[in-house]
Amino acid sequence: MKALTFSNLKKDLDALGEKLRLAAGQMETDRALALSSLEDELLYVISYIGIPPQFIPFRGWDYEACSYQDNIDMLEYLSRFDASALMSLPGASLSARAVIALGTPQQQAFFFSRFTTPPCWAFFAVTEPEVGSDTQSVASSLTRCDDGYLLTAHKKFIGGAQLASVGLVFARDGDTQRLVMVDPKRYAQHISITPLEQFGLQGSNLTEISISDMPVQPADILGYERKGLNQGLHALGQVFERHRPMVSAMALGTTYGLLSALDGHPLDDEQQRWVTQQWRTYHLLRRQLAEIAEHYQNGASQYYTTSQLKRRCTLFAESVAHRMPHLLNGQAWLENPQLRRRCRDAFAFEYMEGTANIHLMNSFRCHTARGGVCAHVS
């Protein structure tokens, strides 16, 4: 069995990246063709990171050897080729962390057993049309009935739901927030999943989900017997704490790819100085990402620093993408649809794992965490 580490995979990542690049070009016109282009066992091996090893069918790899830092390094490197295609790969997405944290052995088996036959997707439904991801204001609800509960929900901007075999839905049960396991095929008559038009990151496959009076048993609710902070809100925080650095990694990888695309293009002195400064910024943010990943791995992550980094990486990707058309001559820009698409994708990281305003509020917590001394947040 081979250790699943970044160093062991690095020699294969360039070839995998080219597959991502090819699939990204197909994604906007023929999603089925794009997904078939990504039918690669090693890509699936990487996308299944986070699923409990006993439910992973790729027996030649030691997932226990894969650190959080390894996972971050893989995501950043592959995003240099195309983050959108990377997001279209199968896997448990954000759901895995919540199911592991709150699920009983039976619930974990229900949720993860379907991943033993790849490819398999999952979704994580929190955001609503009227309140966004404000968990205190969600309208989706569980209503008690003679046989358990009925779930009614309206969610928007949910990735991967069209292909998903299972998912989690965040809903209210009176004054308590709950995470409900949902099998969309079993209750297809109660669930409507509609794809949304997207301008960037087509691979995320965003959808709108409507659920009407879907039967729910207590066994379908994660942490049903637990009280207080061991409910949905706590699990939600754990999910975002793990995934925000991953978004930062994809934004940085995308920016690396954009800056690398300038190699060989004639630039004047002022433009060259600007590019040099962007590479310095990239390496600074990359080092901060490595530090945050190490802290998370050691159980010492800090919520506000994760938010600060996500916001900074997102703004960095946007600033570089905004400048790209002005650094290339008109012909070079028009003849490179892949570069134009990746510039467009750079502006879509904003909505992933919390928008800028959410991260500004999270970052403000460092006033308290540092005794009133707040790190600079731009």
Side-chain angles (χ1 to χ4, degrees):
M1 186 176 290
K2 192 173 183 179
L4 184 59
T5 62
F6 178 73
S7 59
N8 281 342
L9 288 184
K10 189 173 182 181
K11 62 181 175 54
D12 300 306
L13 293 182
D14 286 339
L16 296 181
E18 291 301 331
K19 288 193 174 187
L20 294 175
R21 204 195 303 271
L22 172 64
Q26 301 165 336
M27 192 68 64
E28 297 179 11
T29 57
D30 192 335
R31 185 176 295 275
L33 177 62
L35 292 176
S36 68
S37 299
L38 296 174
E39 290 177 355
D40 182 282
E41 181 171 314
L42 191 52
L43 279 174
Y44 287 0
V45 166
I46 294 171
S47 69
Y48 269 42
I49 293 173
I51 296 172
Q54 64 267 34
F55 299 106
I56 296 177
F58 312 114
R59 298 302 180 188
W61 294 93
D62 179 9
Y63 278 80
E64 298 290 348
C66 183
S67 70
Y68 186 65
Q69 180 68 70
D70 285 318
N71 194 10
I72 290 292
D73 290 343
M74 293 175 199
L75 292 176
E76 195 275 337
Y77 196 94
L78 290 173
S79 295
R80 299 176 182 184
F81 296 87
D82 200 277
S84 179
L86 185 61
M87 293 172 62
S88 71
L89 291 171
S93 184
L94 292 90
S95 301
R97 183 66 180 172
V99 177
I100 292 171
L102 290 181
T104 64
Q106 294 78 15
Q107 288 173 325
Q108 292 188 33
F110 169 83
F111 191 92
F112 291 118
S113 60
R114 58 206 76 208
F115 289 91
T116 59
T117 307
C120 180
W121 286 261
F123 66 86
F124 190 76
V126 176
T127 306
E128 297 187 357
E130 300 299 326
V131 300
S133 19
D134 180 0
T135 54
Q136 300 291 343
S137 304
V138 295
S140 300
S141 62
L142 287 163
T143 304
R144 294 180 185 270
C145 64
D146 292 340
D147 298 326
Y149 295 87
L150 296 176
L151 173 64
T152 298
H154 186 194
K155 303 292 184 178
K156 199 168 185 177
F157 306 119
I158 309 304
Q162 276 189 299
L163 298 172
S165 301
V166 68
L168 295 180
V169 175
F170 191 85
R172 269 187 190 284
D173 173 16
D175 294 329
T176 302
Q177 288 84 14
R178 302 284 197 180
L179 283 169
V180 183
M181 295 191 297
V182 172
D183 183 336
K185 293 180 174 62
R186 179 182 178 187
Y187 293 109
Q189 68 272 27
H190 297 275
I191 302 175
S192 171
I193 300 175
T194 306
L196 298 175
E197 292 186 8
Q198 289 181 243
F199 187 67
L201 293 175
Q202 294 280 337
S204 61
N205 194 16
L206 296 181
T207 62
E208 185 169 4
I209 302 176
S210 295
I211 302 176
S212 178
D213 293 334
M214 190 194 85
V216 172
Q217 298 299 314
D220 302 323
I221 301 173
L222 297 181
Y224 183 75
E225 300 297 336
R226 304 186 188 186
K227 305 297 182 183
L229 291 178
N230 286 323
Q231 293 291 343
L233 281 177
H234 182 57
L236 200 61
Q238 290 186 325
V239 167
F240 288 145
E241 186 74 3
R242 177 179 176 81
H243 282 266
R244 280 170 179 155
M246 294 181 177
V247 177
S248 298
M250 289 189 284
L252 284 180
T254 297
T255 311
Y256 184 105
L258 294 180
L259 291 172
S260 297
L262 295 173
D263 292 345
H265 287 279
L267 302 174
D268 61 32
D269 290 344
E270 180 183 353
Q271 291 172 331
Q272 188 59 58
R273 283 194 297 271
W274 182 87
V275 171
T276 300
Q277 181 58 49
Q278 304 319 301
W279 278 118
R280 289 172 178 162
T281 302
Y282 164 82
H283 289 293
L284 172 63
L285 292 173
R286 189 65 182 85
R287 186 177 65 188
Q288 291 176 354
L289 176 61
E291 291 172 353
I292 282 178
E294 182 181 2
H295 290 158
Y296 181 90
Q297 184 73 30
N298 296 331
S301 59
Q302 295 173 309
Y303 201 72
Y304 59 87
T305 57
T306 303
S307 277
Q308 287 174 1
L309 182 68
K310 194 272 180 177
R311 175 168 164 76
R312 287 168 177 163
C313 291
T314 299
L315 288 174
F316 178 51
E318 291 176 1
S319 67
V320 171
H322 188 270
R323 188 72 183 269
M324 290 297 290
H326 305 285
L327 296 172
L328 302 172
N329 62 57
Q331 192 71 12
W333 175 254
L334 292 174
E335 290 179 352
N336 196 334
Q338 179 189 97
L339 182 61
R340 297 200 307 273
R341 183 185 66 248
R342 298 199 69 201
C343 284
R344 183 190 63 195
D345 288 347
F347 290 91
F349 292 111
E350 159 72 7
Y351 66 71
M352 295 179 63
E353 317 312 334
T355 58
N357 288 337
I358 290 175
H359 293 298
L360 282 174
M361 289 188 290
N362 288 341
S363 299
F364 193 71
R365 296 181 183 183
C366 61
H367 268 300
T368 301
R370 297 185 178 183
V373 179
C374 186
H376 174 66
V377 180
S378 57

